[in-house]
């Protein structure tokens, strides 16, 4: 599966769940991504790093087709998840997004109760049984390591939680739909150091069951939480490798300049 | 999978429904033009559009009817011009006061209070004009009647003031702070900054506000119907009694046989009004767009 | 020395600006005072609850109140769904295409059409072409066309106030666009849309010109039985009493009373809407 020439430091038996090949992305006439080819391994954490505006978030949002909501945007090339092209006309975006959950930079709980926030996804997908819903909610909150903090106030408004709690709630909400892949768009950039640490610990726990793709412009964070790292620069993928390799001995000069803080 | 299918069908259906709702405005605009022309149409064949150029409006007569819209057009123009003469300076000055000078608490009071004026029904203002403003005009100028173009203009001015104040204030507030600060930093006083920097920068927005105000004033019916005296004569005197286009439609439509020549002539007046306000609107939007003041 | 003169001039100009502003406030205050003072003395229970007699020279204005309320309800029933639906489309679906530009142009145009022209339009299409005759139905439809732009603008503003994050989160969880709107946009914007719309409809309740040609009856001392009936309406009734009535000079209290009731109705609707809006703004904070 893994092309050794491109990914010399990936274990050969690594299962790849997302395959992007020659992806271009356009906002109207402006091209934001150029010829991105990238493999993302299952049940590992892949970090996308690079200076702001490098296209890492845009690429992330291509993976669950959130970019569809931007008028006049266009994707070329192929992105497959589990060998299935997700940009064919008959792709069911609803099904895709059930498979591929997303956590945003700014925590965005709905102004509903904690319970209703987590139950939102399952309800939309047709789950009506209150017992089953309660189960899903508890399970998801536990997975997101926030259950103990909120179990006594499930029916309180989620807006009353602290920033870090809100973000973990959003993770629980994404998990409740039962995705296999979790996309995280700078999930800790708006949080204090302590909350950031909790999110990073959580990512460490989730990686055993989920494929995680995380965008971050905090290089220490990428080094701490990820197994593989892809470096983006000006809309192009410069280099992708095992995280320790990227941070100690990158192949490309641009990567090295960025890692050592010469720009970005 | 079947659940998801149902979701998609509902989604498509709702989208269609909403597109329909959104198209309603377009449809209504088209229908307005269509039906106005449909009702007015036959007039163009008989007696012919030339009749609208007549110098007199005498729609009911034992000899020959006259359907000249000139006197009505001039009535509307006179009243509108007078109204704007009163309204524009007052509104701009008040807008400056509210946007740049008033304390925040004062602003919180002034803005909604002036808004109240906009929600007073025009027939109530007309009634007030009839009983209060007209007698004042009559005594002040020593006239035999207070029902004059000026009286109408004063009332229209009351109606246009809140609109123009509010839009001008928006324009003034949207002038970037950096610009004001630059002027203040150069040693200009607060007022110098307002009149030499802020006001010129907000001018396009104010011009657009005035255009929209003119559109509103030309189209206003009840107040002018009640206080301008309604004689269809060609005059430029503010103290003469005049008849506007809107008042003519309102006063005469109730008494004409449907489909008659007179009826069609009234629809032509409607078309003229529609076209005037349409272009005023378009120009105002252009101005706002050109100077990036579109909300 | 120069700064000194400057300061005096500045003070004078400031004073002048303040004077003009408060002169306007005073005029508005006087209008309200005049209507309220003279109207209040004419008001009593019998005036609002009984039928008019002698062509409105005596008795009450009950049918005109009822007629206006019917028109308001009819206008809301037609314009609210249409306006809110259109606003949802513009805020949530439309991109910068030609269709969108056309709709926005239409809304701006519609907002500028004089009310009497709406009257002519209503007469041509609803009264004559559709054959509804002068009726509540024709009047409500005409008024609905008139308030549509106000409702769309108010509703769109309310929709745009809902944070983008709610939309993203909802879609990312696999909601279809409509599910997202229904579950995560409308619950937070509906109150704003409705109150914004009521402000517009309140103004329509005071309009005379559009109903003049499509619904209003000069003197009809009974209540309507169906939407195809004509009704009396407050604004038209005031117009008639003040200018067309043979005894116009002798029935001033009747006129003032009608003006006050109309004013209270319109301002009451606006005030109510504003209060509800403040209430909901406090309830939903993000």
């Amino acid at each position: 599966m893994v092309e050794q020439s491109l990914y010399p430091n990936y274990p050969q038996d690594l299962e790849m769940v997302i395959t992007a090949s020659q992806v271009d992305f356009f906002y109207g006439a402006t091209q934001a991504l150029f010829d991105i080819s990238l493999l993302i391994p299952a049940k590992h954490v892949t970090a996308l790093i690079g200076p702001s505006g490098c296209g890492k978030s845009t690429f992330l949002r291509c993976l669950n087709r959130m970019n569809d909501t931007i008028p006049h945007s266009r994707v070329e090339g192929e992105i497959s998840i589990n060998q299935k092209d997700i940009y064919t006309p008959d792709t069911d975006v609803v099904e895709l997004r059930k498979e591929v959950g997303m956590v945003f930079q700014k925590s965005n709980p709905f102004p509903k109760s904690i319970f209703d926030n987590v139950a939102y996804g399952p309800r939309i997908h047709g789950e009506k049984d209150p017992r089953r819903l309660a189960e899903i909610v508890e399970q998801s909150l536990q997975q997101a390591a926030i259950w103990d903090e909120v179990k006594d106030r499930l029916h309180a408004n989620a807006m009353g939680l602290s920033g870090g709690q809100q973000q973990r709630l959003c993770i629980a909400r994404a998990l409740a739909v039962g995705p296999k892949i979790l996309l995280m768009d700078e999930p800790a950039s708006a949080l204090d150091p302590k909350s950031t640490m909790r999110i990073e610990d959580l990512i460490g726990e989730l990686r055993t069951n989920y494929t995680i793709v995380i965008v971050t412009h905090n290089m220490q964070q990428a080094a701490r939480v990820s197994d593989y790292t892809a470096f983006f620069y000006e809309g192009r993928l410069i280099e992708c490798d095992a995280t320790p390799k990227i941070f100690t001995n990158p192949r490309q000069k641009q990567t090295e300049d960025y890692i050592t803080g010469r720009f970005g | 999978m079947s659940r998801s299918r149902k979701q998609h069908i509902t989604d498509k259906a709702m989208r269609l429904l909403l597109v329909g709702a959104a198209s309603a405005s377009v449809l209504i605009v088209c229908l307005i033009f269509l039906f106005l022309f449909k009702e007015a149409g036959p007039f163009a064949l008989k007696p012919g559009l030339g009749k609208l150029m007549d110098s007199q409006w005498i729609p009911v007569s034992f000899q020959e009817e006259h359907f000249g819209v000139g006197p009505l057009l001039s009535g509307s123009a006179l009243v509108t011009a007078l109204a704007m003469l009163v309204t524009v300076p007052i509104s701009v000055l008040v807008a400056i006061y509210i946007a740049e000078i008033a304390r925040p608490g004062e602003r919180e009071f002034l803005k909604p209070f002036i808004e109240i004026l906009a929600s007073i029904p025009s027939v109530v203002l007309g009634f007030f004009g009839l009983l209060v403003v007209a007698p004042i005009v009559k005594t002040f100028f020593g006239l035999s009647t207070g029902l004059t173009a000026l009286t109408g203009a004063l009332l229209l001015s009351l109606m246009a003031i809140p609109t123009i104040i509010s839009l001008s204030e928006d324009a003034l507030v949207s002038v970037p702070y950096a610009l004001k600060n630059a002027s203040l930093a150069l040693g200009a006083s607060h007022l110098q900054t307002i009149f030499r920097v802020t006001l010129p920068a907000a001018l396009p927005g104010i011009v657009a506000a005035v255009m929209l105000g003119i559109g509103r004033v030309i189209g206003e019916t009840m107040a002018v119907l009640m206080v301008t005296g309604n004689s269809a004569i060609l005059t430029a005197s503010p103290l003469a009694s005049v008849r506007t286009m809107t008042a003519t439609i309102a006063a005469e439509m109730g008494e004409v046989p449907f489909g008659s020549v007179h009826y069609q002539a009234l629809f032509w007046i409607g078309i003229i009004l529609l076209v005037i306000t349409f272009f005023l609107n378009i120009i105002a939007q252009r101005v706002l767009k050109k100077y990036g003041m579109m909300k | 020395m120069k700064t000194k003169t400057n300061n005096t001039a500045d003070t004078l100009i400031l004073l002048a600006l303040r004077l003009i502003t408060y002169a306007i406030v005073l005029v508005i205050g006087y209008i309200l005072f005049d209507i309220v003072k003279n109207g209040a003395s004419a008001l009593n229970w019998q005036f609002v609850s009984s039928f008019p007699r002698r062509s409105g020279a005596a008795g009450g204005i009950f049918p005109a109140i009822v007629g206006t309320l019917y028109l308001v309800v009819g206008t809301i029933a037609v314009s609210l769904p249409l306006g809110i639906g259109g606003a949802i489309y513009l805020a949530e679906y439309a991109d910068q295409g030609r269709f969108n530009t056309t709709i926005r142009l239409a809304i701006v145009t519609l907002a500028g059409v004089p009310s009497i022209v709406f009257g002519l339009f209503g007469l041509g299409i609803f009264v004559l072409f559709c054959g509804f005759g002068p009726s509540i139905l024709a009047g409500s439809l005409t008024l609905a066309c008139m308030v549509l732009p106000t409702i769309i603008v108010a509703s769109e503003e309310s929709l745009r106030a809902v944070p983008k994050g709610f939309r993203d989160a909802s879609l990312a969880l696999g909601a279809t666009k409509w599910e997202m709107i229904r579950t995560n946009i409308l619950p937070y914007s509906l109150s704003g849309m409705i109150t914004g719309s009521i402000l517009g409809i309140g103004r329509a309740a005071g309009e005379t010109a559009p109903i003049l040609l499509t619904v209003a009856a000069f003197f009809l001392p009974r209540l309507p039985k169906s939407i195809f009936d004509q009704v009396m309406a407050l604004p038209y009734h005031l117009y008639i009493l003040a200018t067309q009535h043979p005894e116009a000079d002798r029935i001033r209290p009747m006129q003032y009373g009608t003006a006050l009731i109309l004013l209270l109705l319109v301002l009451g609707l606006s005030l109510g809407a504003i209060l509800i809006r403040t209430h909901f703004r406090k309830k939903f904070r993000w």
Side-chain angles (χ1 to χ4, degrees), chain A residues 94 97 108 110 112 120 125 173, chain C residues 165 169-171 173-174 183-184:
Chain A
V94 168
R97 289 179 187 154
N108 50 7
F110 304 133
K112 307 173 191 280
Y120 179 83
H125 298 301
R173 186 175 65 187
Chain C
S170 211
L171 291 176
L173 289 167
T183 56
N184 251 323

Side-chain angles (χ1 to χ4, degrees), chain B residues 220-233:
Chain B
E220 173 47 45
T221 311
M222 295 319 289
V224 288
L225 175 60
M226 290 167 86
V227 303
T228 55
N230 292 325
S231 16
I233 49 160

Side-chain angles (χ1 to χ4, degrees), chain B residues 80-166:
Chain B
T80 305
L82 283 174
M84 293 324 274
L85 225 55
V86 179
T87 309
V88 175
I90 291 182
S91 303
V92 173
L93 292 176
V94 173
I96 289 175
Y97 184 80
I98 294 179
E100 303 287 329
I101 298 167
R103 281 167 277 118
E106 202 180 357
R107 192 172 308 154
E108 290 305 301
F109 157 75
L110 287 173
K111 281 184 67 149
F113 194 79
I114 290 173
E115 275 302 304
I116 290 182
L117 186 54
S119 41
I120 298 178
S122 64
V123 67
V124 173
L125 276 181
F127 174 63
F128 175 82
L130 193 65
L131 292 196
V132 179
V133 182
I136 295 176
V137 170
K138 181 179 162 189
T139 335
F140 191 83
F141 293 99
L143 305 171
S144 59
T145 168
L147 303 179
T148 63
L150 178 68
T151 320
L154 288 174
L155 286 182
L156 288 175
S157 166
L158 281 177
M159 269 170 229
I161 277 175
T163 313
I164 302 188
I165 288 180
S166 153

Side-chain angles (χ1 to χ4, degrees), chain A residues 14-253:
Chain A
L14 201 58
E15 185 202 341
M16 294 298 182
V17 61
I18 303 175
T19 330
S21 57
Q22 297 171 331
V23 174
D24 294 328
F25 183 83
F26 302 84
Y27 292 109
T30 329
Q31 187 165 2
L33 294 177
F34 299 84
D35 197 28
I36 308 281
S37 294
L38 179 63
L39 299 177
I40 289 171
K43 299 197 176 172
H44 283 82
V45 179
T46 302
L48 311 182
I49 63 167
S52 10
C54 68
K56 54 194 194 298
S57 284
T58 304
F59 179 72
L60 188 79
R61 292 167 65 93
C62 284
L63 301 180
N64 66 343
R65 293 188 53 174
M66 279 302 280
N67 285 330
D68 289 14
T69 59
I70 301 166
H72 305 296
S73 65
R74 187 168 99 245
V75 181
E76 282 171 11
E78 192 188 309
I79 299 175
S80 295
I81 291 178
N82 292 323
Q83 277 87 51
K84 203 172 162 296
D85 187 347
I86 61 167
Y87 278 93
T88 57
D90 65 325
T91 303
D92 183 345
V93 187
V94 168
E95 290 299 317
L96 171 69
R97 289 179 187 154
K98 269 162 81 174
E99 286 287 302
V100 187
M102 188 167 214
V103 177
F104 297 83
Q105 177 172 10
K106 196 173 167 296
S107 64
N108 50 7
F110 304 133
K112 307 173 191 280
S113 74
I114 293 168
F115 185 95
D116 288 342
N117 261 280
V118 183
Y120 179 83
R123 277 188 181 137
I124 282 200
H125 298 301
E127 186 58 65
K128 291 203 184 72
D129 178 15
R131 284 224 331 266
R132 180 81 192 105
L133 277 174
E135 262 172 49
I136 297 176
V137 169
E138 178 173 349
Q139 213 176 38
S140 310
L141 287 168
Q142 261 167 354
Q143 276 191 48
I146 189 180
W147 171 252
D148 290 332
E149 291 157 67
V150 300
K151 65 180 177 209
D152 300 323
R153 46 172 173 152
L154 288 178
H155 294 283
N157 195 312
M159 296 312 230
L161 297 173
S162 74
Q165 287 173 326
Q166 286 191 5
Q167 194 59 297
R168 275 179 287 142
L169 176 70
C170 291
I171 295 176
R173 186 175 65 187
L175 295 177
V177 183
K180 305 278 189 301
I181 299 167
L182 210 50
L183 308 177
M184 297 184 158
D185 191 355
E186 306 197 25
S189 68
L191 302 179
D192 59 272
K194 204 164 157 236
S195 306
T196 303
M197 229 173 71
R198 298 209 59 170
I199 299 276
E200 288 181 10
D201 290 347
L202 176 57
I203 293 172
E205 287 162 33
L206 291 172
R207 57 188 281 198
T208 46
N209 292 315
Y210 299 91
T211 302
I212 294 174
V213 187
I214 176 171
V215 162
T216 175
H217 58 222
N218 177 341
M219 279 178 282
Q220 285 75 31
Q221 186 170 68
R224 281 194 299 264
V225 303
S226 70
D227 305 300
Y228 298 93
T229 297
F231 172 61
F232 281 68
Y233 183 62
E234 291 184 341
R236 293 170 206 279
L237 175 64
I238 305 299
E239 180 169 3
C240 177
D241 215 326
T243 300
K245 179 81 169 65
I246 288 269
F247 282 94
T248 53
N249 188 17
R251 282 169 289 166
Q252 303 293 331
K253 176 94 174 42

Side-chain angles (χ1 to χ4, degrees), chain B residues 31 49 55-56 79 90 124 173 181 184 200 217 255 263 273:
Chain B
L31 285 175
L49 286 182
S55 62
Q56 286 175 300
V79 173
I90 291 182
V124 173
V173 169
N181 284 341
L184 290 171
V217 162
E255 288 147 24
Y263 169 92
L273 271 171

Side-chain angles (χ1 to χ4, degrees), chain B residues 28-85:
Chain B
I28 293 171
V29 171
C30 295
L31 285 175
I32 289 177
F33 277 95
L34 185 73
F35 270 86
L36 255 49
F37 276 105
K38 175 179 170 284
E39 296 300 314
F43 190 93
L45 299 173
K46 195 175 153 269
L49 286 182
K51 285 290 267 181
L52 296 173
M53 309 297 165
D54 211 322
S55 62
Q56 286 175 300
W57 176 266
I58 307 172
V60 184
S61 162
F62 291 115
Q63 286 104 39
E64 198 200 348
E65 287 104 359
H66 294 276
F67 297 107
V69 293
L72 312 178
L73 208 57
S74 86
S76 282
L78 177 62
V79 173
T80 305
L82 283 174
M84 293 324 274
L85 225 55

